[in-house]
């Protein structure tokens, strides 16, 4: 009978090599082969810890074509470790598809706990919201940026995105447009020598980092954006916007001859404003 194989998901440090866990090192040393999102990155990690194992590239483009073959090897008794470039494999990287393939094939999967930029940024941001929503990489297209932010706006949770230094300023400007009252934290180079957590409104941070982008060296490093959850200022602004829109609608309905009582009912249903406010607006439109 062939020895039992398994797929091991091995987290790696997001910056500081001192965060490599003992279990991750043991898993890499015990593996028959190591698959990696980028063999150059994982190769340096293995060399640092003096681990010599067959190293195979298995990135986003290759997983679809090679996942089945990897699962066959595991089923035959091979222990395969998988590492992404940094952090927890499967969190906004190809590791997620590999685990899905393993579950579908019915082969054993062991997921080791370890560093995650999203979780680290959430804690470092200073938010007091007990919930967070990780949304992966911030969209590149302007229309999609607005759509995603508007869709997530009602969530009572901190919103976490990964972003490139080259697109940081544009991302902050998009956030300032859709969520101007929110506090934002730009968490850059977490766990590394030049770690930085900058907090403020998105508009303020956009100015700060736009100026930095024009300096020699520009903006560098891995970045996680943490947008705090809804606050009283945002709720007040939303109420005022709803009230202004309701006032315009009241004028339209009144001009059509709709009764005051019915206008108030329509405003409360359409704009979600309190009945007293809806009746007040309906009366003012007479």
């Amino acid at each position: 009978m062939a020895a039992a194989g398994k797929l091991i998901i091995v987290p790696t440090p997001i910056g500081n090599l001192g965060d490599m866990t003992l279990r991750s090192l043991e898993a890499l040393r015990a593996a028959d082969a190591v698959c990696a999102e980028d063999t150059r990155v994982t190769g340096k990690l293995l060399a640092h810890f003096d681990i010599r194992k067959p190293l195979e590239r298995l990135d986003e483009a290759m997983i679809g074509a090679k996942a089945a073959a990897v699962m066959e090897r595991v089923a035959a008794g091979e222990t395969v470790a998988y590492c992404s470039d940094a952090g927890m494999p499967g969190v906004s990287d190809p590791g997620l598809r590999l685990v899905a393939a393993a579950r579908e094939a019915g082969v054993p999967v062991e997921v080791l706990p370890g560093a995650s930029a999203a979780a680290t940024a959430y804690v470092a941001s200073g938010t007091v919201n007990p919930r967070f929503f990780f949304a992966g990489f911030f969209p590149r297209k302007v229309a999609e940026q607005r759509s995603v932010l508007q869709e997530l706006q009602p969530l009572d949770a901190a919103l976490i995105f990964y972003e490139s230094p080259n697109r940081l300023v544009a991302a902050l400007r998009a956030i300032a447009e859709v969520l101007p009252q929110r506090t934002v934290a730009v968490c850059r180079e977490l766990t590394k020598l030049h770690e930085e957590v900058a907090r403020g409104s998105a508009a303020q941070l956009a100015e700060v980092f736009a100026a930095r982008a024009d300096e020699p060296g520009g903006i560098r490093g891995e970045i996680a954006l943490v947008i705090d959850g809804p606050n009283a200022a945002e709720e007040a602004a939303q109420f005022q916007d709803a009230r202004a829109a309701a006032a315009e609608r009241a004028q339209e309905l009144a001009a059509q001859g709709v009764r005051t009582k019915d206008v108030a009912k329509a405003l409360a249903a359409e704009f979600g404003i309190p009945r007293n406010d809806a009746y007040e607006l309906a009366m003012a439109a007479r």
Side-chain angles (χ1 to χ4, degrees):
M1 179 180 295
K6 61 182 173 180
L7 171 68
I8 308 179
I9 301 301
V10 182
T12 56
I14 60 175
N16 192 319
L17 291 178
D19 294 331
M20 192 70 175
T21 70
L22 294 176
R23 285 189 67 197
S24 290
L25 290 173
E26 290 172 359
L28 291 173
R29 292 186 177 114
D32 295 304
V34 177
C35 292
E37 183 179 8
D38 189 328
T39 54
R40 294 166 299 180
V41 173
T42 302
K44 291 178 182 178
L45 179 76
L46 295 179
H48 178 83
F49 291 104
D50 195 27
I51 299 174
R52 296 177 176 84
K53 292 290 176 178
L55 189 57
E56 306 169 20
R57 188 178 185 91
L58 197 61
D59 57 20
E60 181 70 37
M62 300 172 68
I63 280 183
K66 293 191 174 182
V70 173
M71 297 313 127
E72 289 177 1
R73 290 162 54 186
V74 173
E78 192 171 345
T79 295
V80 177
Y82 179 78
C83 300
S84 56
D85 286 352
M88 191 71 190
V91 180
S92 202
D93 78 24
L96 202 63
R97 294 177 58 196
L98 195 63
V99 173
R103 296 301 186 195
E104 185 176 347
V107 302
V109 181
E110 182 177 4
V111 180
L112 305 185
S116 168
T120 305
Y122 168 65
V123 177
S125 71
T127 181
V128 294
N129 196 303
R131 293 164 293 276
F132 72 85
F133 181 88
F134 175 62
F137 283 90
F138 197 71
R140 295 191 180 194
K141 297 181 179 179
V142 173
E144 189 178 352
Q145 291 172 350
R146 293 172 181 167
S147 176
V148 167
L149 291 172
Q150 289 169 350
E151 181 181 349
L152 297 177
Q153 182 174 6
L155 287 181
D156 183 14
L159 308 177
I160 302 176
F161 294 92
Y162 290 159
E163 185 53 292
S164 158
N166 297 330
R167 297 190 297 270
L168 174 61
V169 175
L172 290 169
R173 286 171 177 162
I175 296 167
E177 181 180 344
V178 181
L179 304 172
Q181 289 86 15
R182 301 279 183 102
T183 297
V184 178
V186 175
C187 303
R188 190 180 65 83
E189 291 290 80
L190 291 173
T191 78
K192 299 179 184 177
L193 180 63
H194 299 293
E195 176 179 306
E196 175 185 23
V197 178
R199 282 173 50 86
S201 70
Q204 292 169 337
L205 293 173
E207 291 185 8
V208 170
F209 284 97
R212 189 181 301 183
D214 292 333
E215 297 174 355
I219 306 168
R220 295 181 179 179
E222 302 294 330
I223 293 171
L225 294 171
V226 182
I227 306 170
D228 215 341
N231 53 46
E234 181 175 86
E235 292 173 1
Q238 290 175 339
F239 176 77
Q240 291 301 322
D241 289 344
R243 186 180 173 87
E248 291 184 10
R249 181 62 173 154
Q251 294 287 345
E252 294 175 1
L253 294 174
Q256 296 170 14
V258 180
R259 294 185 306 171
T260 300
K261 182 179 180 180
D262 293 331
V263 171
K265 287 183 179 180
L267 297 181
E270 186 175 346
F271 298 97
I273 60 177
R275 292 181 180 179
N276 290 342
D277 290 313
Y279 191 76
E280 177 185 328
L281 294 173
M283 289 290 292
R286 294 172 59 187

